[in-house]
mmCIF file of all heavy atoms in Angstrom:
data_model
loop_
_atom_site.group_PDB
_atom_site.id
_atom_site.type_symbol
_atom_site.label_atom_id
_atom_site.label_comp_id
_atom_site.label_asym_id
_atom_site.label_seq_id
_atom_site.Cartn_x
_atom_site.Cartn_y
_atom_site.Cartn_z
ATOM 1 N N HIS W 98 25.189 4.129 5.362
ATOM 2 C CA HIS W 98 26.168 3.631 4.556
ATOM 3 C C HIS W 98 27.569 4.037 5.048
ATOM 4 O O HIS W 98 28.604 3.382 4.741
ATOM 5 C CB HIS W 98 25.955 4.023 3.254
ATOM 6 C CG HIS W 98 25.971 5.528 3.049
ATOM 7 N ND1 HIS W 98 24.850 6.293 3.407
ATOM 8 C CD2 HIS W 98 26.857 6.453 2.436
ATOM 9 C CE1 HIS W 98 25.139 7.573 3.082
ATOM 10 N NE2 HIS W 98 26.332 7.663 2.594
ATOM 11 N N LEU W 99 27.532 5.028 6.046
ATOM 12 C CA LEU W 99 28.845 5.524 6.640
ATOM 13 C C LEU W 99 28.950 5.228 8.096
ATOM 14 O O LEU W 99 30.089 5.311 8.664
ATOM 15 C CB LEU W 99 28.912 7.109 6.495
ATOM 16 C CG LEU W 99 29.017 7.560 4.993
ATOM 17 C CD1 LEU W 99 28.856 9.056 5.159
ATOM 18 C CD2 LEU W 99 30.242 7.150 4.336
ATOM 19 N N SER W 100 27.748 4.716 8.796
ATOM 20 C CA SER W 100 27.855 4.483 10.210
ATOM 21 C C SER W 100 28.228 5.733 10.964
ATOM 22 O O SER W 100 29.015 5.791 11.859
ATOM 23 C CB SER W 100 28.709 3.343 10.619
ATOM 24 O OG SER W 100 28.140 2.180 10.151
ATOM 25 N N VAL W 101 27.558 6.806 10.490
ATOM 26 C CA VAL W 101 27.873 8.120 11.093
ATOM 27 C C VAL W 101 26.532 8.766 11.555
ATOM 28 O O VAL W 101 25.500 8.705 10.852
ATOM 29 C CB VAL W 101 28.547 9.064 9.963
ATOM 30 C CG1 VAL W 101 28.593 10.526 10.630
ATOM 31 C CG2 VAL W 101 29.919 8.621 9.724
ATOM 32 N N VAL W 102 26.590 9.508 12.643
ATOM 33 C CA VAL W 102 25.401 10.260 13.147
ATOM 34 C C VAL W 102 25.712 11.739 13.157
ATOM 35 O O VAL W 102 26.874 12.135 13.316
ATOM 36 C CB VAL W 102 24.955 9.812 14.632
ATOM 37 C CG1 VAL W 102 24.466 8.477 14.689
ATOM 38 C CG2 VAL W 102 26.070 10.152 15.652
ATOM 39 N N ALA W 103 24.629 12.433 12.741
ATOM 40 C CA ALA W 103 24.737 13.955 12.909
ATOM 41 C C ALA W 103 24.060 14.237 14.217
ATOM 42 O O ALA W 103 22.994 13.710 14.572
ATOM 43 C CB ALA W 103 24.039 14.577 11.817
ATOM 44 N N MET W 104 24.684 15.196 15.041
ATOM 45 C CA MET W 104 24.083 15.432 16.459
ATOM 46 C C MET W 104 23.887 16.829 16.545
ATOM 47 O O MET W 104 24.521 17.723 15.908
ATOM 48 C CB MET W 104 25.106 14.808 17.465
ATOM 49 C CG MET W 104 25.112 13.451 17.760
ATOM 50 S SD MET W 104 26.358 12.978 19.012
ATOM 51 C CE MET W 104 25.972 14.157 20.268
ATOM 52 N N ALA W 105 22.996 17.260 17.565
ATOM 53 C CA ALA W 105 22.728 18.521 17.984
ATOM 54 C C ALA W 105 23.195 18.526 19.416
ATOM 55 O O ALA W 105 22.505 17.734 20.281
ATOM 56 C CB ALA W 105 21.348 18.966 17.820
ATOM 57 N N LEU W 106 24.150 19.333 19.875
ATOM 58 C CA LEU W 106 24.687 19.329 21.220
ATOM 59 C C LEU W 106 23.695 20.285 21.950
ATOM 60 O O LEU W 106 23.202 21.321 21.325
ATOM 61 C CB LEU W 106 26.064 19.794 21.367
ATOM 62 C CG LEU W 106 27.080 18.708 20.914
ATOM 63 C CD1 LEU W 106 28.513 19.165 21.046
ATOM 64 C CD2 LEU W 106 26.897 17.454 21.637
ATOM 65 N N GLU W 107 23.479 20.049 23.289
ATOM 66 C CA GLU W 107 22.753 20.970 24.121
ATOM 67 C C GLU W 107 23.631 22.252 24.395
ATOM 68 O O GLU W 107 24.855 22.172 24.462
ATOM 69 C CB GLU W 107 22.264 20.392 25.347
ATOM 70 C CG GLU W 107 21.248 19.251 25.120
ATOM 71 C CD GLU W 107 20.538 18.588 26.291
ATOM 72 O OE1 GLU W 107 21.078 18.810 27.372
ATOM 73 O OE2 GLU W 107 19.775 17.708 26.106
ATOM 74 N N PRO W 108 22.858 23.342 24.689
ATOM 75 C CA PRO W 108 23.758 24.582 25.035
ATOM 76 C C PRO W 108 24.647 24.352 26.271
ATOM 77 O O PRO W 108 24.281 23.764 27.285
ATOM 78 C CB PRO W 108 22.743 25.640 25.399
ATOM 79 C CG PRO W 108 21.458 25.108 24.764
ATOM 80 C CD PRO W 108 21.565 23.675 24.757
ATOM 81 N N GLY W 109 25.888 24.812 26.132
ATOM 82 C CA GLY W 109 26.732 24.825 27.187
ATOM 83 C C GLY W 109 27.591 23.481 27.341
ATOM 84 O O GLY W 109 28.224 23.181 28.256
ATOM 85 N N THR W 110 27.445 22.636 26.356
ATOM 86 C CA THR W 110 28.231 21.349 26.384
ATOM 87 C C THR W 110 29.258 21.291 25.228
ATOM 88 O O THR W 110 28.994 21.907 24.193
ATOM 89 C CB THR W 110 27.358 20.122 26.236
ATOM 90 O OG1 THR W 110 26.470 20.216 24.997
ATOM 91 C CG2 THR W 110 26.300 20.065 27.496
ATOM 92 N N THR W 111 30.116 20.514 25.280
ATOM 93 C CA THR W 111 31.098 20.193 24.258
ATOM 94 C C THR W 111 31.433 18.735 24.188
ATOM 95 O O THR W 111 31.123 18.025 25.173
ATOM 96 C CB THR W 111 32.534 21.028 24.552
ATOM 97 O OG1 THR W 111 33.048 20.464 25.747
ATOM 98 C CG2 THR W 111 32.371 22.530 24.445
ATOM 99 N N LEU W 112 32.086 18.321 23.135
ATOM 100 C CA LEU W 112 32.302 16.954 22.980
ATOM 101 C C LEU W 112 33.674 16.766 22.276
ATOM 102 O O LEU W 112 33.993 17.493 21.381
ATOM 103 C CB LEU W 112 31.250 16.238 21.948
ATOM 104 C CG LEU W 112 31.472 14.709 21.792
ATOM 105 C CD1 LEU W 112 31.212 13.975 23.071
ATOM 106 C CD2 LEU W 112 30.460 14.257 20.694
ATOM 107 N N ARG W 113 34.575 15.921 22.984
ATOM 108 C CA ARG W 113 35.988 15.784 22.523
ATOM 109 C C ARG W 113 36.255 14.510 22.107
ATOM 110 O O ARG W 113 35.558 13.445 22.565
ATOM 111 C CB ARG W 113 36.837 16.175 23.710
ATOM 112 C CG ARG W 113 36.869 17.667 24.060
ATOM 113 C CD ARG W 113 37.878 17.943 25.338
ATOM 114 N NE ARG W 113 37.840 19.268 25.839
ATOM 115 C CZ ARG W 113 37.068 19.531 26.766
ATOM 116 N NH1 ARG W 113 36.276 18.803 27.237
ATOM 117 N NH2 ARG W 113 37.109 20.958 27.008
ATOM 118 N N VAL W 114 37.279 14.387 21.243
ATOM 119 C CA VAL W 114 37.676 13.019 20.958
ATOM 120 C C VAL W 114 38.367 12.319 22.075
ATOM 121 O O VAL W 114 39.079 12.953 22.859
ATOM 122 C CB VAL W 114 38.839 13.070 19.769
ATOM 123 C CG1 VAL W 114 39.455 11.622 19.482
ATOM 124 C CG2 VAL W 114 38.283 13.611 18.501
ATOM 125 N N GLY W 115 37.984 11.096 22.500
ATOM 126 C CA GLY W 115 38.412 10.368 23.656
ATOM 127 C C GLY W 115 37.364 10.377 24.608
ATOM 128 O O GLY W 115 37.424 9.491 25.566
ATOM 129 N N ASP W 116 36.312 11.098 24.678
ATOM 130 C CA ASP W 116 35.200 10.990 25.552
ATOM 131 C C ASP W 116 34.428 9.626 25.406
ATOM 132 O O ASP W 116 34.445 9.249 24.227
ATOM 133 C CB ASP W 116 34.212 12.238 25.380
ATOM 134 C CG ASP W 116 34.729 13.428 25.946
ATOM 135 O OD1 ASP W 116 35.789 13.515 26.570
ATOM 136 O OD2 ASP W 116 33.932 14.453 25.495
ATOM 137 N N ARG W 117 33.860 9.167 26.498
ATOM 138 C CA ARG W 117 32.982 7.909 26.409
ATOM 139 C C ARG W 117 31.516 8.449 26.362
ATOM 140 O O ARG W 117 31.270 9.201 27.154
ATOM 141 C CB ARG W 117 33.239 7.135 27.611
ATOM 142 C CG ARG W 117 34.570 6.337 27.508
ATOM 143 C CD ARG W 117 34.684 5.110 28.321
ATOM 144 N NE ARG W 117 33.746 4.026 27.920
ATOM 145 C CZ ARG W 117 33.848 3.208 26.856
ATOM 146 N NH1 ARG W 117 34.965 3.311 26.175
ATOM 147 N NH2 ARG W 117 33.044 2.253 26.652
ATOM 148 N N ILE W 118 30.827 7.954 25.406
ATOM 149 C CA ILE W 118 29.540 8.424 25.230
ATOM 150 C C ILE W 118 28.522 7.133 25.292
ATOM 151 O O ILE W 118 28.963 6.013 25.008
ATOM 152 C CB ILE W 118 29.157 9.078 23.912
ATOM 153 C CG1 ILE W 118 29.505 8.311 22.755
ATOM 154 C CG2 ILE W 118 29.911 10.632 23.959
ATOM 155 C CD1 ILE W 118 29.029 8.973 21.375
ATOM 156 N N HIS W 119 27.308 7.422 25.590
ATOM 157 C CA HIS W 119 26.218 6.325 25.757
ATOM 158 C C HIS W 119 25.100 6.871 24.986
ATOM 159 O O HIS W 119 24.492 7.896 25.323
ATOM 160 C CB HIS W 119 25.854 6.152 27.256
ATOM 161 C CG HIS W 119 24.777 5.170 27.443
ATOM 162 N ND1 HIS W 119 24.092 4.947 28.542
ATOM 163 C CD2 HIS W 119 24.239 4.218 26.626
ATOM 164 C CE1 HIS W 119 23.203 4.090 28.520
ATOM 165 N NE2 HIS W 119 23.209 3.452 27.276
ATOM 166 N N ILE W 120 24.801 6.056 23.871
ATOM 167 C CA ILE W 120 23.638 6.414 23.000
ATOM 168 C C ILE W 120 22.504 5.634 23.362
ATOM 169 O O ILE W 120 22.610 4.326 23.377
ATOM 170 C CB ILE W 120 24.018 6.376 21.529
ATOM 171 C CG1 ILE W 120 25.218 7.249 21.202
ATOM 172 C CG2 ILE W 120 22.810 6.671 20.632
ATOM 173 C CD1 ILE W 120 25.620 7.345 19.765
ATOM 174 N N ARG W 121 21.375 6.187 23.703
ATOM 175 C CA ARG W 121 20.238 5.459 24.070
ATOM 176 C C ARG W 121 18.887 5.850 23.489
ATOM 177 O O ARG W 121 18.758 7.067 23.406
ATOM 178 C CB ARG W 121 20.191 5.386 25.652
ATOM 179 C CG ARG W 121 19.071 4.290 26.159
ATOM 180 C CD ARG W 121 19.079 4.276 27.637
ATOM 181 N NE ARG W 121 18.611 5.565 28.306
ATOM 182 C CZ ARG W 121 17.270 5.826 28.533
ATOM 183 N NH1 ARG W 121 16.411 4.889 28.195
ATOM 184 N NH2 ARG W 121 16.826 6.874 28.920
ATOM 185 N N GLY W 122 18.111 4.936 22.985
ATOM 186 C CA GLY W 122 16.861 5.261 22.388
ATOM 187 C C GLY W 122 15.809 4.116 22.512
ATOM 188 O O GLY W 122 16.130 3.242 23.389
ATOM 189 N N HIS W 123 14.905 4.199 21.661
ATOM 190 C CA HIS W 123 13.790 3.205 21.740
ATOM 191 C C HIS W 123 14.295 1.820 21.548
ATOM 192 O O HIS W 123 13.994 0.792 22.248
ATOM 193 C CB HIS W 123 12.679 3.486 20.740
ATOM 194 C CG HIS W 123 11.503 2.599 20.695
ATOM 195 N ND1 HIS W 123 10.746 2.460 21.725
ATOM 196 C CD2 HIS W 123 11.097 1.705 19.852
ATOM 197 C CE1 HIS W 123 9.787 1.546 21.433
ATOM 198 N NE2 HIS W 123 10.039 1.161 20.269
ATOM 199 N N THR W 124 15.122 1.634 20.469
ATOM 200 C CA THR W 124 15.741 0.259 20.263
ATOM 201 C C THR W 124 17.300 0.301 20.323
ATOM 202 O O THR W 124 17.902 -0.688 19.854
ATOM 203 C CB THR W 124 15.304 -0.214 18.930
ATOM 204 O OG1 THR W 124 15.702 0.740 17.872
ATOM 205 C CG2 THR W 124 13.847 -0.378 18.804
ATOM 206 N N THR W 125 17.841 1.481 20.639
ATOM 207 C CA THR W 125 19.297 1.525 20.703
ATOM 208 C C THR W 125 19.781 1.798 22.117
ATOM 209 O O THR W 125 19.225 2.390 22.967
ATOM 210 C CB THR W 125 19.713 2.887 19.945
ATOM 211 O OG1 THR W 125 19.034 2.990 18.702
ATOM 212 C CG2 THR W 125 21.192 2.966 19.688
ATOM 213 N N ASP W 126 20.853 1.130 22.329
ATOM 214 C CA ASP W 126 21.523 1.174 23.743
ATOM 215 C C ASP W 126 22.946 0.647 23.624
ATOM 216 O O ASP W 126 23.211 -0.587 23.740
ATOM 217 C CB ASP W 126 20.768 0.481 24.899
ATOM 218 C CG ASP W 126 21.110 0.738 26.193
ATOM 219 O OD1 ASP W 126 21.943 1.643 26.431
ATOM 220 O OD2 ASP W 126 20.603 0.073 27.079
ATOM 221 N N PHE W 127 23.924 1.625 23.492
ATOM 222 C CA PHE W 127 25.334 1.152 23.461
ATOM 223 C C PHE W 127 26.194 2.201 23.908
ATOM 224 O O PHE W 127 25.903 3.379 23.927
ATOM 225 C CB PHE W 127 25.669 0.517 22.023
ATOM 226 C CG PHE W 127 25.677 1.865 20.989
ATOM 227 C CD1 PHE W 127 26.906 2.492 20.672
ATOM 228 C CD2 PHE W 127 24.566 1.985 20.306
ATOM 229 C CE1 PHE W 127 27.004 3.443 19.664
ATOM 230 C CE2 PHE W 127 24.621 3.017 19.178
ATOM 231 C CZ PHE W 127 25.652 3.719 19.020
ATOM 232 N N THR W 128 27.280 1.817 24.284
ATOM 233 C CA THR W 128 28.324 2.778 24.851
ATOM 234 C C THR W 128 29.602 2.781 23.977
ATOM 235 O O THR W 128 30.016 1.578 23.639
ATOM 236 C CB THR W 128 28.819 2.449 26.209
ATOM 237 O OG1 THR W 128 27.499 2.609 26.983
ATOM 238 C CG2 THR W 128 29.766 3.516 26.828
ATOM 239 N N GLN W 129 30.250 3.847 23.693
ATOM 240 C CA GLN W 129 31.439 3.737 22.820
ATOM 241 C C GLN W 129 32.394 4.845 23.275
ATOM 242 O O GLN W 129 31.998 5.964 23.862
ATOM 243 C CB GLN W 129 31.127 3.810 21.349
ATOM 244 C CG GLN W 129 30.763 5.153 20.737
ATOM 245 C CD GLN W 129 30.774 5.237 19.286
ATOM 246 O OE1 GLN W 129 30.122 4.368 18.658
ATOM 247 N NE2 GLN W 129 31.397 6.172 18.805
ATOM 248 N N LYS W 130 33.580 4.824 22.730
ATOM 249 C CA LYS W 130 34.561 5.957 22.828
ATOM 250 C C LYS W 130 34.568 6.732 21.547
ATOM 251 O O LYS W 130 34.573 6.254 20.537
ATOM 252 C CB LYS W 130 35.985 5.226 23.052
ATOM 253 C CG LYS W 130 36.959 6.318 23.342
ATOM 254 C CD LYS W 130 38.339 5.725 23.594
ATOM 255 C CE LYS W 130 39.430 6.679 23.998
ATOM 256 N NZ LYS W 130 40.721 6.067 24.224
ATOM 257 N N VAL W 131 34.565 8.065 21.735
ATOM 258 C CA VAL W 131 34.561 8.993 20.557
ATOM 259 C C VAL W 131 35.959 8.812 19.966
ATOM 260 O O VAL W 131 36.855 9.198 20.488
ATOM 261 C CB VAL W 131 34.198 10.402 20.915
ATOM 262 C CG1 VAL W 131 34.340 11.340 19.616
ATOM 263 C CG2 VAL W 131 32.911 10.514 21.503
#
Side-chain angles (χ1 to χ4, degrees):
H98 61 288
L99 300 171
S100 294
V101 170
V102 296
M104 282 180 50
L106 290 179
E107 293 186 351
T110 60
T111 60
L112 185 64
R113 295 182 180 91
V114 173
D116 286 349
R117 288 200 65 75
I118 59 170
H119 178 196
I120 298 178
R121 192 172 69 83
H123 182 66
T124 57
T125 311
D126 190 11
F127 66 94
T128 303
Q129 77 167 52
K130 186 177 180 181
V131 177

